[in-house]
Amino acid sequence: MRDRRTTPSALGRPGTDRRRPAPPCRPAEARSTVERVVTERCRTDHVPCDPKALSDALLVASELTTNAILHGGGVTDFQVDVVGSGVRLSVCDRSAELPVAVPPTDPQGRRRVGGHGWPIVCRLARDVRVADLPSGGKRITVVVPLS
């Protein structure tokens, strides 16, 4: 089971699929897509779906899309598929800037608001990859274990 959501071409070039849905523009949409793909796969393959593992995958999807919206100029592509014993998530955005983990406190020792998403992604996912895209921007691909 695989779901790919890509922004339709604004130019309407020949050969583009205008029926393809736009990528999730909100973290809730990304979570819904991941939940649907994973539960359909578990039902189809008659394998148990660990609710805690699914919860981790939903959190990672939410964090990746939130970061793309807040720091990357928006989500330009979103893919989810179940591979082996994990769910692979790919989120593309318009920024070539690499994600960074910021210290939990500022130079004056005050606790920062935010800055927790990337460390959460790195803690819950394995095989975290960040790649530049030929047309600009980046793709972050992770695999979250489902067992």
Side-chain angles (χ1 to χ4, degrees):
M1 168 69 38
R2 180 181 173 125
D3 194 352
R4 178 185 174 107
R5 296 180 147 214
T6 310
T7 316
S9 170
L11 303 175
R13 284 178 264 160
T16 59
D17 185 358
R18 294 179 154 255
R19 295 168 296 170
R20 183 180 297 159
C25 61
R26 296 188 320 238
E29 294 170 342
R31 289 190 303 270
S32 295
T33 301
V34 171
E35 186 169 32
R36 180 179 52 77
V37 168
V38 171
T39 55
E40 283 179 14
R41 178 64 178 266
C42 290
R43 184 175 36 246
T44 301
D45 292 351
H46 305 290
V47 294
C49 190
D50 180 8
K52 289 181 183 179
L54 177 57
S55 179
D56 288 349
L58 298 176
L59 179 57
V60 169
S62 185
E63 292 296 339
L64 289 175
T65 53
T66 297
N67 287 348
I69 293 165
L70 293 177
H71 308 293
V75 177
T76 58
D77 189 27
F78 179 85
Q79 297 176 38
V80 56
D81 57 316
V82 178
V83 291
S85 62
V87 59
R88 181 175 43 215
L89 303 167
S90 289
V91 179
C92 297
D93 62 40
R94 293 177 175 86
S95 173
E97 295 292 318
L98 297 176
V100 295
V102 296
T105 57
D106 66 13
Q108 290 77 31
R110 296 176 297 219
R111 298 218 32 96
R112 291 184 195 271
V113 175
H116 308 289
W118 186 243
I120 288 171
V121 168
C122 292
R123 186 170 298 125
L124 295 177
R126 59 178 159 80
D127 195 24
V128 177
R129 297 176 188 218
V130 182
D132 291 329
L133 297 173
S135 59
K138 68 181 169 298
R139 173 184 309 274
I140 299 177
T141 303
V142 302
V143 176
V144 181
L146 286 176
S147 55

